[in-house]
Amino acid sequence: YYQPKKFADTWQLGSKTTTPVETEGYTKKVEIKEVRRDATGNISDDPWAIIDDFSRWVSVYVSWMDNGSPVEVKIDSLVTKY
């Protein structure tokens, strides 16, 4: 995971970590993973499928405690060069 950090008025990825740190009551993390495609060009979970060098899965997580209960929001995006 990457630990996002706020610098001035913008967010940046920050350092890579295995355990994100809570700041101001929120834990924020960004995961960037490779995309693999089968012979027809469809996205595949097959570890033998070809890596698409022009695409990445980006997942952004934000979690916090709400009245003693954990809450997590996740947004997934497929990011491509095109």
Side-chain angles (χ1 to χ4, degrees), residues 36-54:
R36 294 183 175 268
R37 296 191 183 268
D38 62 20
T40 62
N42 292 318
I43 294 174
S44 173
D45 290 332
D46 182 352
W48 298 105
I50 298 169
I51 295 172
D52 179 350
D53 290 326
F54 301 106

Side-chain angles (χ1 to χ4, degrees), residues 1-4 20 26-33 58-64 71-76:
Y1 297 103
Y2 289 91
Q3 182 74 57
Y26 295 92
T27 302
K28 302 163 288 288
K29 59 187 178 182
V30 177
E31 182 178 37
I32 301 173
K33 294 169 44 176
V58 178
S59 299
V60 178
Y61 303 81
V62 178
S63 58
W64 65 94
V71 178
E72 181 175 80
V73 175
K74 177 184 176 191
I75 298 173
D76 290 316

